[in-house]
Amino acid sequence: MLLFFPIPAAARTLLIVLIAGLVLVGIMLRPWKTNEATIALAGAGLLLLLGLITPANAFFTLVQDWNTFFFFLGMMGISALAETAGFFDWLAAWAARLSGNSARRLFLNTFLLGSLISMFLSNDATALILTPIIYSLTTRLRLPVLPYLFACTFIADTASFLLPVSNPINIIVLSTFPLDLLTFLRLLFIPGIVVISINIGIFFLLHRRQRHGRFESKRLPGAAESIGRHGYFRYTCIVLLLVAISYVTAAALRVPLSFVALSGAFALLIGAWYCKLSTLRETGKQLSWSIFGFIAGMFIIVQAVESTGLTAQFGQLLLRLSGGTSLGAVLVGTLGAAAGTNLINNVPMAVVLTSSLHSLRSAPLAVQRGFIAATIFGCDLGPNVTTVGSLATVLWLLILRRRNLEVSGLDYFKVGVIVTPLMLLAGAVTIWLLLL
């Protein structure tokens, strides 16, 4: 039975903040290896039980974010069915051969391939698609697995603001504060190249011992041997190409990305069923359903925090801290977005900031664009510090656990705290210079 007894405003705010904080700590520490979805849903359930958010508000919050849920459903379906086609093993074989048996070149190719996937298919696609490729590749070649897998998750977010389609966060922000494509590219594409270069350089230094040496590509089957049904494989390649083109088109026309993702997954499922390679039930078993529980729980928690008025106050605070200058807007916006994403995840944080930045309407154009670009930049790249910051990272962790690999929040933080602050600073300064 839900408890709807009157609670003083101050006590209500305190309780919501306390529950949200406990959920975030729980997700980071994962006591007794509890799943992130269980922790997020437990926090949302406690908010409902105490009457801190009504069932109606929770329901409408989830309904309003239908595009996010269906987007992830479509992307996970595309990944599972592409794996059925042998697409990942085929890419693995080519990546090895293009590396010339060099572990160092393979490390670089991992970043380059991840950048291309994030650019055209989103950062979440990189986590879903590239991670299994690299895991399969490194285990067969008997290379150290974790450095390459860390490269997968970091480049997923680092390259996720090269195009509007590269991250759902971009669409969330641009739907409220539209930037034409040329302005978006001018403010964010060059900073993207800068931070990708920094990411690669620092990772080469951090993992200089593991990436030395050579491997025998003979351990891998030939590219043709990786393909089960050649007809379905060719069909899958065509569908993936159409999905990539459709993503860019949908972003330009502001069509929900979930339509493209679900259409691509449906097309691949029909092909797999026709070729008797998979069914709806078999495909469903390959999906990480817990991600939907995590998203739902986090959205409800953020909605409760937003109802306290703290988000509006946060927006006003950001504007005051910027001093009304473009440099201040970029630095404060980047720092605020990056800090927030590592606390409440980048999708909810983008929603919070989009709501908070409505007060910018009267600010100078350079300040407005500085905050908009910084919000996208900080929400896309900032999550690389913790495991809860990005849904792509959460998906990455789920994929690793399926392969009996455990990466703790502390292990991830030790890498992220070295790499991310430098990338944030370099990217923010580049954005400011492009605003001049």
Side-chain angles (χ1 to χ4, degrees):
M1 181 177 179
L2 302 182
L3 306 178
F4 289 108
F5 50 83
I7 301 177
R12 179 178 178 276
T13 298
L14 181 61
L15 281 173
I16 290 174
V17 171
L18 178 61
I19 292 172
L22 289 174
V23 167
L24 296 170
V25 171
I27 291 172
M28 288 190 67
L29 299 180
R30 290 184 61 235
W32 308 290
K33 296 186 177 180
T34 307
N35 187 280
E36 291 90 349
T38 302
I39 297 171
L41 288 172
L46 185 57
L47 290 172
L48 287 165
L49 182 65
L50 296 176
L52 298 172
I53 186 172
T54 66
N57 283 342
F59 174 76
F60 285 116
T61 295
L62 299 182
V63 169
Q64 289 171 358
D65 293 304
W66 61 269
N67 187 43
T68 301
F69 291 100
F70 286 126
F71 172 77
F72 280 102
L73 178 62
M75 282 309 308
M76 286 191 288
I78 289 173
S79 176
L81 291 162
E83 189 169 11
T84 299
F87 184 71
F88 297 151
D89 289 334
W90 179 79
L91 280 179
W94 272 109
R97 280 154 181 76
L98 291 175
S99 298
N101 296 339
S102 168
R104 176 182 297 184
R105 194 175 302 170
L106 178 61
F107 199 53
L108 175 62
N109 286 348
T110 301
F111 281 100
L112 298 179
L113 183 57
S115 297
L116 288 174
I117 296 174
S118 286
M119 184 175 180
F120 292 105
L121 289 177
S122 88
N123 62 327
D124 305 298
T126 300
L128 287 167
I129 294 173
L130 187 62
T131 305
I133 293 174
I134 297 304
Y135 176 83
S136 173
L137 180 64
T138 52
T139 52
R140 288 180 177 182
L141 295 177
R142 299 181 182 177
L143 294 171
V145 175
L146 283 180
Y148 292 87
L149 295 181
F150 266 101
C152 294
T153 183
F154 271 80
I155 197 60
D157 288 335
T158 301
S160 67
F161 47 92
L162 292 172
L163 290 175
V165 72
S166 303
N167 196 323
I169 299 301
N170 307 346
I171 307 303
I172 291 174
V173 177
L174 295 176
S175 63
T176 303
F177 301 100
L179 294 176
D180 60 84
L181 183 60
L182 289 178
T183 301
F184 181 95
L185 293 176
R186 180 172 65 84
L187 294 179
L188 290 163
F189 187 83
I190 294 177
I193 300 300
V194 170
V195 297
I196 288 171
S197 302
I198 294 173
N199 197 169
I200 294 173
I202 295 179
F203 263 57
F204 263 69
L205 288 174
L206 290 177
H207 303 291
R208 55 188 177 276
R209 295 180 180 176
Q210 294 95 327
R211 60 180 172 77
H212 276 305
R214 302 180 67 81
F215 56 82
E216 296 180 12
S217 58
K218 293 184 292 184
R219 296 183 182 276
L220 289 175
E225 297 174 32
S226 305
I227 302 170
R229 289 278 188 91
H230 286 267
Y232 183 62
F233 176 80
R234 288 192 292 269
Y235 174 75
T236 298
C237 291
I238 293 171
V239 171
L240 291 177
L241 178 61
L242 291 175
V243 166
I245 296 171
S246 298
Y247 267 133
V248 178
T249 305
L253 299 177
R254 298 183 188 176
V255 174
L257 294 178
S258 60
F259 292 167
V260 178
L262 286 174
S263 298
F266 182 72
L268 290 178
L269 180 61
I270 292 298
W273 173 80
Y274 179 80
C275 295
K276 298 181 180 179
L277 291 174
S278 186
T279 64
L280 179 61
R281 177 177 294 183
E282 291 170 351
T283 302
K285 291 179 180 179
Q286 295 178 263
L287 306 187
S288 301
W289 292 103
S290 63
I291 192 68
F292 298 104
F294 173 75
I295 296 171
M298 292 304 298
F299 273 143
I300 292 172
I301 291 169
V302 171
Q303 177 59 33
V305 173
E306 192 171 357
S307 70
T308 65
L310 292 176
T311 58
Q313 295 178 32
F314 182 60
Q316 290 296 324
L317 175 62
L318 291 178
L319 189 58
R320 288 197 299 271
L321 290 175
S322 72
T325 66
S326 58
L327 176 60
V330 173
L331 293 178
V332 172
T334 298
L335 178 61
T341 56
N342 287 290
L343 293 176
I344 64 172
N345 185 267
N346 63 348
V347 173
M349 188 61 193
V351 176
V352 169
L353 282 174
T354 301
S355 173
S356 302
L357 297 181
H358 282 293
S359 57
L360 294 177
R361 300 291 188 183
S362 59
L365 182 61
V367 174
Q368 291 184 43
R369 288 185 171 176
F371 266 115
I372 294 168
T375 297
I376 293 173
F377 175 65
C379 286
D380 286 1
L381 178 62
N384 273 338
V385 177
T386 66
T387 56
V388 300
S390 168
L391 289 176
T393 307
V394 175
L395 289 169
W396 178 78
L397 287 171
L398 292 174
I399 292 170
L400 263 59
R401 287 171 196 161
R402 283 184 173 183
R403 289 156 175 80
N404 297 317
L405 290 174
E406 282 287 340
V407 175
S408 68
L410 181 59
D411 291 335
Y412 195 94
F413 177 79
K414 288 178 180 178
V415 178
V417 77
I418 295 173
V419 182
T420 309
L422 180 59
M423 291 194 293
L424 287 171
L425 178 60
V429 171
T430 306
I431 292 173
W432 171 64
L433 291 173
L434 294 169
L435 281 169
L436 299 177

